[in-house]
Amino acid sequence: RAGEQMGELDAERLLVHAGPPIEWPRMWGPLRGAVCGAIVFEGWAGDLAAAEALAASGAVKFAPNHHFGAVGPMTGITTRSMPLLVVENRKFGNRAFCTINEGLGKVMRFGGNDAEVLARLAWLRDEFGPLLGAAIRAAPVPLNPLIARGLAMGDEMHQRKLACTSLLLRMLAPRLAESVKALEFIAGNDQFFLNVAM
């Protein structure tokens, strides 16, 4: 979880985001939507209106993902209880963090914050994240050869990652086989590898 990997997130109402430092009054619509959804997701407010009031009151702190060695697509919102992907450079010992890609359509990274978005985030936190974490810990994925192969197959590591997503799924499938839903989630999301690539 983010709070465990990025210590300060656990200590206070702190949300990290993509881009440079920014405060609530200067945030654009999708980022505000994601912030409000994240506040409800964390249980700091009971609904979106209360979440907006909390964010506007100054009771929530905001910081860039990069201040914590993390990245995130679009709004890049990361909260303390979201599961994180960890990419480690074993030679030098440095690590980078990113949330799990939510899929396509209505998602928090585009400012989505309704019950469907929050339910998917809860599933990622409670079911998919622990299953994926166990699979990766059992057999860490060497990313350089996977990415090299994906590039040779036509991926460009931003909007076109079908090959890398498919290759990753192929590597993880034996350890995710207990969950058809997990396999279908990755298989149905050509963007799954985006967060890893970032």
Side-chain angles (χ1 to χ4, degrees):
R1 297 210 199 286
E4 296 164 7
Q5 296 293 330
M6 299 161 53
E8 192 176 329
L9 286 180
D10 224 7
E12 56 187 309
R13 288 181 174 161
L14 174 66
L15 296 179
V16 297
H17 54 79
I22 189 169
E23 295 304 321
W24 178 257
R26 294 183 51 234
M27 290 183 187
W28 64 101
L31 182 55
R32 283 184 177 216
V35 163
C36 290
I39 288 171
V40 173
F41 177 69
E42 286 298 323
W44 301 339
D47 59 39
L48 294 172
E52 184 171 358
L54 189 69
S57 76
V60 177
K61 287 184 160 183
F62 304 102
N65 277 309
H66 290 171
H67 290 185
F68 296 91
V71 294
M74 301 305 290
T75 65
I77 290 294
T78 304
T79 71
R80 66 183 180 181
S81 66
M82 291 179 178
L84 295 178
L85 298 164
V86 180
V87 175
E88 180 180 18
N89 180 333
R90 293 247 167 115
K91 182 173 182 178
F92 297 105
N94 54 311
R95 292 178 170 183
F97 309 100
C98 192
T99 56
I100 296 170
N101 190 284
E102 305 164 74
L104 302 173
K106 198 185 318 181
V107 290
M108 186 169 281
R109 72 178 179 272
F110 294 141
N113 58 21
D114 67 9
E116 176 187 338
V117 171
L118 298 179
R120 185 182 318 107
L121 289 173
W123 176 75
L124 289 171
R125 178 194 63 211
D126 299 337
E127 296 179 39
F128 183 79
L131 184 64
L132 180 64
I136 292 171
R137 281 188 291 279
V141 177
L143 290 176
N144 284 345
L146 187 153
I147 291 170
R149 190 169 181 196
L151 290 169
M153 295 169 73
D155 280 5
E156 43 81 272
M157 295 301 118
H158 186 231
Q159 284 301 305
R160 197 170 53 247
K161 295 156 298 310
L162 176 59
C164 283
T165 295
S166 300
L167 292 168
L168 181 62
L169 176 58
R170 185 175 165 188
M171 295 177 80
L172 295 172
R175 289 176 177 79
L176 298 177
E178 68 184 68
S179 173
V180 171
K181 187 175 179 181
L183 294 172
E184 288 176 341
F185 176 73
I186 298 173
N189 178 9
D190 292 350
Q191 297 281 314
F192 188 81
F193 198 80
L194 170 63
N195 297 38
V196 180
M198 289 183 68

